Amino acid sequence: MFLVILTDYYLIDQSYVGPDDWLDARQLFYIGLCLTVFIIVIHNGRKLIKLWKESVYENAQMKEVLLQSQLTALKTQLDPHFMFNNYSVLGSLIKEDSAKASEFLEKVSDVQRYLLCNLEYDLVTLDNEVQFLKDYIHLIKIRFGDSIQINIDITEEKLSKSIPPMTLQLLVENASKHNKATKKCPLFVQIYEEDDYLVVENNIQLLNNLPHSSKVGLNNIAKRYHLIEEREVIIDKSEQVFKVKIPLI
């Protein structure tokens, strides 16, 4: 339109072109310009919104992949950690009591089967985790006998909730690893529900010479919850009691 107006201005005799004609031409020019700008804005705006949505989607996918890789890395710590601790116990039992060592090895095999089936999941039902814990308690009892007492008090309603796999086992292991457990001074571990949390509580009677700790247990649980759930693991420690509250999902 601009070229048409420019051509008319130079090639047409101006005596034949009135002021109204030039006004109409300028109006057409401005209307055409506005329509062009409007169409360009709409077209590019749609394209930018599409690109933005794709970018958001890709970022969400990358974030999900990153979180999943972090969870996988944390879960891969658990199986070697579990086996290392229990093979250490097995080595001690072989020297002390070969019959107990044989029974202990058989129970470790049963527990290992659970790990192979469930460690691939980010969450398992509390019911499954409690059943696994009961198998693990058999291992504890072979080693400590009645020196350690573990009480589980959970209603049927809460058993359908979910937690990361091996959470209860790690907390019970943590209690038995750092505290004395004798017939005169038994170690009491209580597992019970409190609102939307599961509480694992034990009396504190620390060993004089604490074993070297890799701190995989509590750190691993806290990090996995941080990636899965908005609520954090709560650790409450007093002079007599060590308490860990884990959210039920």
Side-chain angles (χ1 to χ4, degrees):
M1 289 180 68
F2 175 74
L3 289 174
V4 168
I5 293 171
L6 192 64
T7 304
D8 287 348
Y9 182 80
Y10 283 106
L11 299 181
I12 297 175
D13 188 351
Q14 298 301 308
S15 61
Y16 293 99
V17 181
D20 290 339
D21 295 326
W22 282 112
L23 179 62
D24 291 341
R26 285 196 296 270
Q27 288 176 344
L28 283 173
F29 173 73
Y30 290 131
I31 291 171
L33 181 63
C34 290
L35 286 173
T36 303
V37 171
F38 178 74
I39 292 170
I40 290 172
V41 168
I42 293 297
H43 175 73
N44 288 332
R46 289 180 59 191
K47 188 174 182 180
L48 288 172
I49 290 172
K50 183 180 178 182
L51 291 173
W52 174 73
K53 286 182 177 179
E54 290 176 352
S55 175
V56 170
Y57 178 71
E58 288 176 1
N59 286 337
Q61 280 192 317
M62 289 178 63
K63 186 176 180 181
E64 185 178 347
V65 169
L66 178 61
L67 290 177
Q68 193 58 49
S69 66
Q70 289 175 334
L71 272 172
T72 302
L74 288 168
K75 287 186 289 185
T76 55
Q77 291 180 345
L78 298 179
D79 194 11
H81 171 77
F82 174 82
M83 297 310 298
F84 175 79
N85 285 341
N86 284 285
Y87 282 143
S88 298
V89 173
L90 180 61
S92 301
L93 285 175
I94 289 173
K95 297 176 184 177
E96 298 169 6
D97 189 329
S98 58
K100 276 189 177 182
S102 178
E103 183 182 359
F104 187 87
L105 181 59
E106 184 179 344
K107 291 296 181 183
V108 167
S109 300
D110 293 337
V111 172
Q112 183 67 16
R113 193 175 300 112
Y114 173 88
L115 301 185
L116 292 174
C117 294
N118 290 278
L119 267 186
E120 63 181 289
Y121 302 111
D122 298 335
L123 295 169
V124 294
T125 63
L126 184 56
D127 189 20
N128 283 348
E129 186 73 358
V130 168
Q131 294 304 317
F132 165 61
L133 180 63
K134 289 178 179 177
D135 289 335
Y136 180 71
I137 289 172
H138 286 300
L139 292 178
I140 295 286
K141 289 292 186 180
I142 292 171
R143 183 181 175 191
F144 293 101
D146 294 330
S147 299
I148 182 168
Q149 299 293 327
I150 301 171
N151 181 52
I152 302 172
D153 184 15
I154 304 172
T155 61
E156 289 289 332
E157 179 187 356
K158 298 296 184 183
L159 290 176
S160 61
K161 300 283 188 177
S162 299
I163 60 175
M166 286 188 70
T167 298
L168 295 181
Q169 181 270 327
L170 287 169
L171 292 174
V172 171
E173 178 188 68
N174 190 66
S176 64
K177 187 176 180 180
H178 294 90
N179 294 278
K180 290 183 289 186
T182 63
K183 289 183 179 180
K184 290 184 178 180
C185 300
L187 177 66
F188 295 99
V189 180
Q190 305 289 334
I191 302 172
Y192 57 92
E193 59 190 73
E194 188 177 282
D195 298 326
D196 284 332
Y197 286 83
L198 193 68
V199 182
V200 180
E201 175 185 309
N202 65 271
N203 56 318
I204 295 178
Q205 41 194 30
L206 295 175
L207 294 167
N208 294 328
N209 296 316
L210 287 173
H212 172 70
S213 176
S214 60
K215 296 184 178 180
V216 166
L218 283 175
N219 286 343
N220 187 284
I221 293 170
K223 288 177 181 178
R224 281 192 291 161
Y225 263 102
H226 179 71
L227 295 173
I228 294 171
E229 173 74 5
E230 291 182 357
R231 291 173 294 166
E232 299 286 341
V233 174
I234 301 172
I235 299 175
D236 184 12
K237 183 178 180 181
S238 65
E239 292 184 3
Q240 290 82 28
V241 175
F242 184 80
K243 185 188 297 184
V244 180
K245 296 174 67 176
I246 53 176
L248 291 173
I249 302 171

